[in-house]
Amino acid sequence: MKIPFVDLQAQYQTIKEEIDTAMSNVMKETAFVGGAGNKYVRIFEEEFSKYLGVKHTISCANGTDSIEILLEAFGVGAGDEVIIPALSWISTSEAVGRIGAKPVFVDVNPDTLLIDVLRIEEKITKNTKVIMPVHLYGNAVDMISIMDIATKHKLIVIEDCAQSHGAKFNGKLAGTFGHAASFSFYPGKNLGAYGDAGAITTDTEEIASKCRMIGNHGQLKKHTHVMEGRNSRMDGLHAAVLSVKLKHLDKWNSQRNANALSYREKINNKSIQLPVENKHAYHVYHLFVIRTEKRDELKASLEKNNVEVAVHYPVALPFVDAYKKYGYTPEDFPVSFAETKKILSIPMFPELSNEQINTVSDLVNAF
């Protein structure tokens, strides 16, 4: 039996009729290109705002674009610094660099692998403009502490929610603490489109208006270009799919939590470290990341037995080639450097069966 890392086909089969109807409607109306004039995009934006309890959702082409657009809307540019965790997907840091600012990395907490909140203030300088925490793997960051630090130093907070649709801290949804948030709807995400898609959320009208203009060629009204923008719109088909899937998000997150609990109950190999949920967080398990000193050997063993696994991420951001220019050493980010050699993501998706969980757990225990 082959066990996939993520099974999007299985999910599609559970909502096939809804998806097929939604996509057929878009096709009939040829409502392909996004923007304010596309009713399917507008409907999804309204639904996602209602789900989060925020005033504005601005859809865009992908999660990387959403971060870049937000930073530009907040006026971040050359000479500015943005504080981010040392462990994340490169979108978090490359968006900062692409607009001319400098990503300033903070090591992660050794238990949760989330940004180490206690080490943020030592990285703040006169050039710091933004703190951008990442709710990595679906585990919500301590946003109360982050907002206290931001308020003290008068900094902007942009939450990177690419992996945390529906996650909560202190009962409040991720993406609703900071001044704005960025979401990715990459197909494998907890809320995923059928291709690249993303969104920005905020309660601030001025930022929402700027983001909408930047993502649509600098215009709010057709052929009235008040600034130079870019082409970053969510397609109608993706919006229609997301509207269908949003209705199932909380149920799917509950199923991910149940699967995580099953893994915890069944994996008893003492050499394996299980994920640590952040205190006061509702973890939505975008990924179930275990740790072991013999990661590569375990990875090879699982793959040999037809279990798909992945590493998120094999190299911490300060040590990827793009940032060699800064000359970082392992001593600068000891936790991130060490833990990236241990982490391994095992299959996690709502439709994961008990048989699949048992098989993976047995193989991990036998290693």
Side-chain angles (χ1 to χ4, degrees):
M1 175 175 63
K2 182 176 182 179
I3 301 178
F5 184 67
V6 174
D7 193 344
L8 296 179
Q9 179 60 225
Q11 185 185 75
Y12 168 63
Q13 291 301 325
T14 67
I15 53 173
K16 183 177 185 303
E17 187 173 340
E18 294 174 82
I19 290 289
D20 290 353
T21 300
M23 295 185 75
S24 176
N25 289 339
V26 174
M27 300 291 282
K28 287 175 186 173
E29 298 176 33
T30 62
F32 302 129
V33 178
N38 186 305
K39 81 172 188 182
Y40 295 98
V41 172
R42 188 174 65 251
I43 289 170
F44 172 69
E45 289 178 345
E46 291 171 356
E47 291 172 339
F48 199 57
S49 290
K50 184 177 181 182
Y51 176 80
L52 289 177
V54 299
K55 292 180 180 177
H56 307 282
T57 294
I58 305 95
S59 58
C60 61
N62 56 69
T64 308
D65 278 7
S66 64
I67 297 174
E68 281 192 36
I69 291 169
L70 265 171
L71 290 169
E72 184 179 347
F74 277 109
V76 179
D80 293 328
E81 296 178 351
V82 177
I83 290 178
I84 63 174
L87 182 59
S88 182
W89 174 237
I90 196 168
S91 292
T92 310
S93 57
E94 71 180 350
V96 176
R98 293 289 294 174
I99 63 159
K102 179 183 179 183
V104 174
F105 303 105
V106 173
D107 209 357
V108 295
N109 180 287
D111 295 325
T112 63
L113 301 181
L114 299 171
I115 189 169
D116 191 337
V117 175
L118 298 178
R119 304 194 66 173
I120 289 177
E121 285 195 281
E122 65 190 56
K123 296 295 183 80
I124 294 174
T125 72
K126 61 182 176 57
N127 297 320
T128 305
K129 198 157 187 177
V130 174
I131 303 173
M132 187 155 58
V134 180
H135 304 293
L136 193 70
Y137 305 152
N139 202 8
V141 174
D142 174 0
M143 289 306 302
I144 304 297
S145 297
I146 296 274
M147 295 310 296
D148 285 345
I149 294 169
T151 300
K152 177 181 174 183
H153 295 276
K154 299 180 180 178
L155 300 174
I156 298 160
V157 174
I158 298 173
E159 295 177 68
D160 184 340
C161 299
Q163 303 184 4
S164 60
H165 315 75
K168 296 177 183 178
F169 187 78
N170 264 2
K172 186 176 178 181
L173 284 164
T176 63
F177 289 87
H179 299 88
S182 167
F183 287 85
S184 166
F185 302 119
Y186 185 79
K189 297 296 172 60
N190 290 37
L191 180 62
Y194 285 171
D196 273 319
I200 293 154
T201 61
T202 182
D203 280 333
T204 307
E205 172 65 34
E206 181 185 357
I207 294 301
S209 181
K210 282 185 181 178
C211 289
R212 202 172 286 284
M213 281 194 290
I214 293 168
N216 192 20
H217 298 291
Q219 61 182 352
L220 284 176
K221 182 180 176 183
K222 194 165 186 177
H223 299 311
T224 303
H225 306 279
V226 299
M227 62 184 293
E228 288 184 332
R230 60 200 291 175
N231 180 3
S232 184
R233 296 175 297 220
M234 180 188 289
D235 293 336
L237 283 168
H238 294 319
V241 167
L242 288 168
S243 283
V244 170
K245 296 178 81 171
L246 180 59
K247 298 169 188 166
H248 301 275
L249 176 61
D250 287 343
K251 176 187 66 181
W252 287 336
N253 282 339
S254 295
Q255 290 171 332
R256 286 175 181 270
N257 255 273
N259 293 340
L261 180 60
S262 292
Y263 272 139
R264 291 182 184 283
E265 291 173 346
K266 292 168 182 172
I267 295 177
N268 54 24
N269 185 329
K270 299 300 182 186
S271 71
I272 302 295
Q273 182 178 348
L274 298 173
V276 175
E277 296 185 357
N278 201 16
K279 193 176 180 182
H280 305 304
Y282 172 62
H283 197 319
V284 291
Y285 287 99
H286 170 58
L287 298 171
F288 193 88
V289 181
I290 61 177
R291 283 182 266 182
T292 173
E293 298 286 347
K294 296 182 178 180
R295 187 270 309 280
D296 292 341
E297 292 91 334
L298 176 59
K299 180 174 182 290
S301 174
L302 290 170
E303 289 173 337
K304 183 180 177 182
N305 285 281
N306 294 315
V307 176
E308 289 185 351
V309 294
V311 178
H312 299 88
Y313 298 94
V315 181
L317 289 174
F319 307 111
V320 301
D321 288 349
Y323 304 117
K324 279 187 175 177
K325 59 187 176 184
Y326 295 124
Y328 296 124
T329 67
E331 289 73 26
D332 293 321
F333 306 97
V335 179
S336 299
F337 184 82
E339 298 306 314
T340 48
K341 301 181 186 326
K342 304 176 186 174
I343 51 181
L344 183 67
S345 305
I346 60 177
M348 171 54 75
F349 48 92
E351 300 79 15
L352 200 60
S353 69
N354 287 333
E355 182 182 9
Q356 290 172 319
I357 292 172
N358 288 340
T359 299
V360 175
S361 301
D362 289 345
L363 288 168
V364 170
N365 289 336
F367 175 72

